[in-house]
Amino acid sequence: MVPTTETIPFQAETKKLLDLVIHSLYTHKEIFLRELISNASDALDKVRIEALTDEELSVDLDRLKIRLEVDKDKRTMCIIDNGVGMSREEVIENIGTIAKSGTQGFSDALDKMQKEGGALPELIGQFGVGFYSAFMVADEVELSTRRIGTTTDDAVVWRSSGDGEYELEEGTRKEHGTTVTLTLKAIDGEEEGQKDFTQEWVLREVVKRYSDFIEYPIELDRPPEKEEDELETQVLNSRKPLWLRPKSEIEETEYTEFYKHLSHDWNEPLDTIHFRAEGAVEYAALLYIPAQRQMDLFDPKRQRSQVQLYVKRVFITADCEELLPVWLRFIRGVVDSADLPLNVSRETLQHNHQVAQIQKRLSRKVLDSLSAMQKNRADDYAKFWSSFGMVVKEGIYYSDEHREAVAGLGLFSSTKGEELRTLNDYAADMPMGQKEIYVLLAADRESAQRSPHLEAFHAKGFEVLLLTDPVDEFVLQRMTTFQDKTIRRIDQGEIDLSDDADSGENEAKEKELEPMIEAVRKELSERVEEVRFSKRLTDSPACLVAGENALPQHLVRLMREQGQDVPDPKHVLELNPKHPLIESMGRQVGDDFGRFSNCCELLLGLTQLAEGSTPSDPGKFSRLVSEMMIE
Ligand code: ADP
Ligand code: MG
């Protein structure tokens, strides 16, 4: 019987879309294979579903597979599956018509992508033109298919060269399923990065990249080395979507191997988070907390989430920035969504409600896991914090939602001892009568510990957290409370730690010294913003504090180190009325004005030295000191 061929024109819309696909998309052509394999995998899924519901259907589910075949001489490649196949009507409906989402939408998006840059793989899937992407690499596409459940070996053959029409023919096929045969375009030497899809290694690579975790085997015959060798079939994909397997069946080493494969990190991860979300938004997530800092952690070009997005086992993108906030960019892993459309565009991802929900849940999970590690595995956590603490702290700044939780993850130096402390430790150990959390910013732990600001806190037995990270300055702008307690910088503004008991005695002293403080004010009016009595000092005669709104000394130092020109900020000079030096200065007011003036200069210089900075006029300072040393 001569097969009857029917020629059917594409709908105008379909034709337009095809033209766009063929003529406008030049990069990432290899994704056609991902699309065809994904269609085959869908068709195989459908067999499994039909087998479940249709008792008459007898299929050996273990035989479900995808096969690739190439013929170098004819320049053809086939993608063969034994999936559900299609009836004639289904072929016309599914392959002959597109425009599900509209050609206009596609061409608009394409325009935008070409203007602003973007990735083709996302576009293709989003507009349901997966099948048509075959025309990017093929002059002719033929699809031969037989619906499952049919008793004869009749098949439907669809064929097109991607111009205005397609042909439908009758054919035969031994088994249910679909064969897509591409007559590949000739390799154009002019075009850069062209891949020859009749090459075994090319197929292996592309499958590995995009379809490695497809559940069904993707087979390809290994080319024989000698003519007489028998063909050997290889499976190109590893077929292990680890994240979709039940946790209880996964060995620790499998998790680790997958992590290494994913991250190119040879170290074991510190923690693995694996869960499936069911309900409104369905997905599986497998995330890892690395132990070692990645090289590109602070690379501005890589400041986005490094979690891979899959949709139904099909790889979509390696760094889906919508899956985790930027301050969790060190996390590695995979999210496999069951209900996102086979890849959404970047733009869609940004506004997708489900993706937002996934992000929320993932962030929560990571924070919980870190918090558990902090409680139960202190050594590992310390390692984690030294690698990634700097990045996590960005979360305190940026995340309104997680601020308190992220702050709770912090490890800080403290006046309490060598051990790093958390805000929770701190809050739990606060003595009665202490209302606020005290922190001191400094360049390092050593200089922080020398700070005169700490004296009254030592005397009271109040712990002070010593913040020595450059980012702490910014963190504190947002981290103003923890567990409803104010976080107070002890080098800024007025601090009153005095007991009511000795306030009477102090008041009398201060009154007595009033003329002295007035004189100091006059002497140093150019150099300090204000002179006042201190309620935070016990052993030192004086200290400098930042005004409520001034740049703290430590920050000024930091900015100067980075080459910025920062004028000396004026500080408040606080005097300790109980200190013998201050008492002595009190007695000298009015006596010998030259000497008092020098004393003021020296006092300011000494205080600056105690803070770890240099006296404003070092020459004058050392001259005055040597003069005083001469009897
Ligand atoms: P999508 O996969 O997003 O639906 P495609 O253009 O990739 O869009 O495919 C269009 C339709 O063609 C599919 O939905 C499916 O119904 C049908 N189809 C494609 N390939 C196959 C196949 N190998 N087996 C069965 N049906 C297929
Ligand atoms: Mg598809």
Side-chain angles (χ1 to χ4, degrees):
M1 192 182 77
V2 185
T4 48
T5 307
E6 196 183 339
T7 305
I8 304 171
F10 282 118
Q11 288 177 320
E13 275 216 308
T14 308
K15 184 176 167 355
K16 204 169 146 196
L17 185 52
L18 250 174
D19 284 345
L20 281 170
V21 171
I22 300 167
H23 301 296
S24 321
L25 307 174
Y26 303 109
T27 56
H28 290 94
K29 285 185 176 175
E30 80 250 21
I31 64 118
F32 84 91
L33 190 57
R34 178 189 79 176
E35 294 298 323
L36 297 182
I37 287 176
S38 142
N39 285 350
S41 168
D42 288 349
L44 294 165
D45 282 346
K46 286 180 195 153
V47 172
R48 289 205 303 201
I49 295 163
E50 291 203 13
L52 277 179
T53 49
D54 184 350
E55 282 170 10
E56 311 235 309
L57 209 64
S58 74
V59 269
D60 182 356
L61 296 182
D62 289 336
R63 282 190 56 245
L64 297 181
K65 67 177 179 191
I66 300 165
R67 246 186 91 71
L68 306 183
E69 283 178 9
V70 291
D71 185 323
K72 285 202 169 78
D73 302 328
K74 292 193 195 138
R75 282 200 61 73
T76 57
M77 87 163 284
C78 304
I79 297 98
I80 307 162
D81 67 69
N82 50 357
V84 279
M86 284 177 275
S87 66
R88 187 184 161 92
E89 289 69 38
E90 284 171 322
V91 171
I92 296 173
E93 168 76 19
N94 298 335
I95 304 289
T97 334
I98 325 175
K100 272 184 228 150
S101 349
T103 314
Q104 195 52 48
F106 182 81
S107 73
D108 288 352
L110 188 69
D111 256 16
K112 194 160 178 244
M113 182 195 92
Q114 283 170 340
K115 276 198 204 95
E116 296 167 18
L120 169 67
E122 285 139 20
L123 215 55
I124 292 280
Q126 185 194 5
F127 288 92
V129 294
F131 179 78
Y132 288 87
S133 63
F135 286 104
M136 296 192 298
V137 296
D139 286 326
E140 186 180 86
V141 178
E142 184 183 283
L143 173 143
S144 154
T145 183
R146 175 177 155 190
R147 186 78 176 83
I148 198 169
T150 49
T151 46
T152 62
D153 60 3
D154 289 345
V156 186
V157 179
W158 179 101
R159 189 182 305 113
S160 176
S161 341
D163 40 24
E165 53 195 30
Y166 61 91
E167 288 170 7
L168 277 184
E169 237 174 53
E170 286 161 12
T172 56
R173 203 173 193 284
K174 275 202 223 106
E175 204 196 0
H176 58 83
T178 303
T179 300
V180 178
T181 306
L182 314 181
T183 306
L184 296 165
K185 291 182 196 234
I187 296 282
D188 176 0
E190 294 293 299
E191 207 175 311
E192 222 175 283
Q194 268 202 106
K195 292 197 165 97
D196 181 358
F197 297 102
T198 63
Q199 298 274 0
E200 184 227 17
W201 70 268
V202 172
L203 295 179
R204 217 168 356 143
E205 207 177 79
V206 175
V207 168
K208 197 90 203 146
R209 175 157 170 75
Y210 294 103
S211 316
D212 192 51
F213 298 104
I214 290 287
E215 251 178 290
Y216 310 98
I218 303 169
E219 293 180 354
L220 175 67
D221 289 336
R222 215 186 288 276
E225 280 175 21
K226 287 187 247 90
E227 198 97 344
E228 62 277 14
D229 281 358
E230 274 196 27
L231 279 182
E232 197 191 323
T233 301
Q234 58 180 329
V235 175
L236 300 182
N237 53 332
S238 71
R239 299 184 60 205
K240 273 195 212 152
L242 197 59
W243 57 87
L244 294 181
R245 287 166 47 195
K247 249 170 127 160
S248 55
E249 288 175 14
I250 302 176
E251 309 258 345
E252 199 55 44
T253 50
E254 289 184 271
Y255 276 131
T256 311
E257 283 311 308
F258 183 63
Y259 167 73
K260 290 179 179 172
H261 162 81
L262 201 68
S263 63
H264 306 289
D265 176 6
W266 294 101
N267 304 286
E268 311 234 322
L270 282 177
D271 207 359
T272 303
I273 303 167
H274 184 193
F275 69 97
R276 280 184 93 120
E278 258 134 35
V281 187
E282 279 187 33
Y283 59 92
L286 175 53
L287 304 179
Y288 295 95
I289 300 176
Q292 302 270 323
R293 219 184 249 194
Q294 301 93 4
M295 300 277 281
D296 57 4
L297 196 60
F298 293 100
D299 178 351
K301 287 199 284 301
R302 301 285 285 168
Q303 305 259 325
R304 49 156 78 183
S305 158
Q306 304 291 310
V307 173
Q308 299 189 347
L309 177 65
Y310 278 72
V311 172
K312 294 189 202 116
R313 298 187 300 277
V314 179
F315 175 76
I316 306 296
T317 164
D319 48 6
C320 180
E321 64 188 318
E322 291 75 19
L323 287 176
L324 275 180
V326 64
W327 47 274
L328 290 177
R329 63 182 173 274
F330 52 87
I331 298 288
R332 293 290 180 265
V334 173
V335 168
D336 190 342
S337 154
D339 35 26
L340 286 173
L342 207 199
N343 51 19
V344 282
S345 70
R346 183 123 266 168
E347 194 183 32
T348 314
L349 279 173
Q350 273 162 17
H351 301 112
N352 187 289
H353 170 70
Q354 299 191 349
V355 176
Q357 250 173 299
I358 296 176
Q359 190 200 92
K360 212 178 153 103
R361 179 88 183 273
L362 296 186
S363 308
R364 191 71 262 161
K365 282 274 187 183
V366 172
L367 294 181
D368 287 350
S369 151
L370 288 174
S371 169
M373 199 197 302
Q374 190 191 44
K375 270 197 205 82
N376 309 321
R377 297 158 53 200
D379 288 350
D380 283 342
Y381 190 75
K383 219 186 281 170
F384 164 79
W385 188 256
S386 76
S387 297
F388 302 111
M390 289 256 281
V391 179
V392 175
K393 279 181 187 170
E394 293 174 19
I396 303 178
Y397 190 87
Y398 290 114
S399 171
D400 291 334
E401 190 185 344
H402 299 296
R403 182 161 300 128
E404 180 101 358
V406 181
L409 290 175
L411 293 183
F412 305 100
S413 286
S414 148
T415 51
K416 195 125 187 153
E418 287 299 314
E419 256 170 52
L420 295 176
R421 303 268 289 168
T422 67
L423 284 168
N424 280 304
D425 297 336
Y426 186 102
D429 291 350
M430 273 166 67
M432 292 278 286
Q434 183 184 346
K435 302 269 178 324
E436 301 181 324
I437 295 173
Y438 297 113
V439 300
L440 175 64
L441 281 116
D444 54 73
R445 196 183 144 81
E446 300 258 282
S447 66
Q449 277 174 318
R450 281 197 309 265
S451 168
H453 294 125
L454 288 174
E455 289 168 6
F457 295 87
H458 281 315
K460 284 269 176 194
F462 289 175
E463 179 178 6
V464 177
L465 296 179
L466 308 174
L467 276 45
T468 53
D469 212 340
V471 297
D472 290 333
E473 187 71 48
F474 304 97
V475 167
L476 280 184
Q477 286 173 25
R478 298 286 165 85
M479 192 177 79
T480 52
T481 62
F482 184 76
Q483 291 180 3
D484 294 327
K485 296 171 183 73
T486 301
I487 296 181
R488 166 129 7 235
R489 299 174 55 154
I490 65 166
D491 60 349
Q492 206 165 34
E494 263 187 287
I495 288 215
D496 186 358
L497 289 181
S498 57
D499 287 326
D500 292 341
D502 47 46
S503 75
E505 187 196 337
N506 280 352
E507 255 173 54
K509 264 236 158 73
E510 286 173 19
K511 212 173 168 63
E512 194 187 309
L513 290 170
E514 199 50 56
M516 185 278 276
I517 213 163
E518 194 50 51
V520 179
R521 256 181 218 132
K522 244 191 217 133
E523 282 295 322
L524 300 177
S525 65
E526 303 270 286
R527 321 263 290 282
V528 299
E529 191 179 289
E530 158 69 337
V531 184
R532 66 179 177 227
F533 288 114
S534 179
K535 297 191 170 62
R536 69 184 99 207
L537 294 175
T538 57
D539 300 335
S540 301
C543 70
L544 284 166
V545 301
E548 293 288 352
N549 305 312
L551 279 181
Q553 193 66 4
H554 142 78
L555 184 62
V556 172
R557 210 168 27 236
L558 193 83
M559 289 164 80
R560 286 187 181 154
E561 272 165 21
Q562 289 170 356
Q564 292 187 51
D565 189 17
V566 193
D568 263 328
K570 283 193 172 181
H571 283 92
V572 176
L573 179 67
E574 287 195 357
L575 306 182
N576 177 2
K578 283 187 270 186
H579 196 280
L581 178 63
I582 301 301
E583 287 175 329
S584 148
M585 279 179 71
R587 290 192 295 273
Q588 292 176 42
V589 187
D591 281 5
D592 173 352
F593 230 70
R595 186 177 156 82
F596 184 78
S597 170
N598 286 348
C599 275
C600 289
E601 185 71 36
L602 281 167
L603 182 66
L604 183 61
L606 281 174
T607 313
Q608 285 168 325
L609 278 175
E611 304 263 305
S613 31
T614 333
S616 354
D617 186 347
K620 183 171 181 195
F621 181 81
S622 55
R623 200 185 68 237
L624 286 176
V625 173
S626 58
E627 274 171 19
M628 292 207 107
M629 289 168 80
I630 300 169
E631 251 195 310

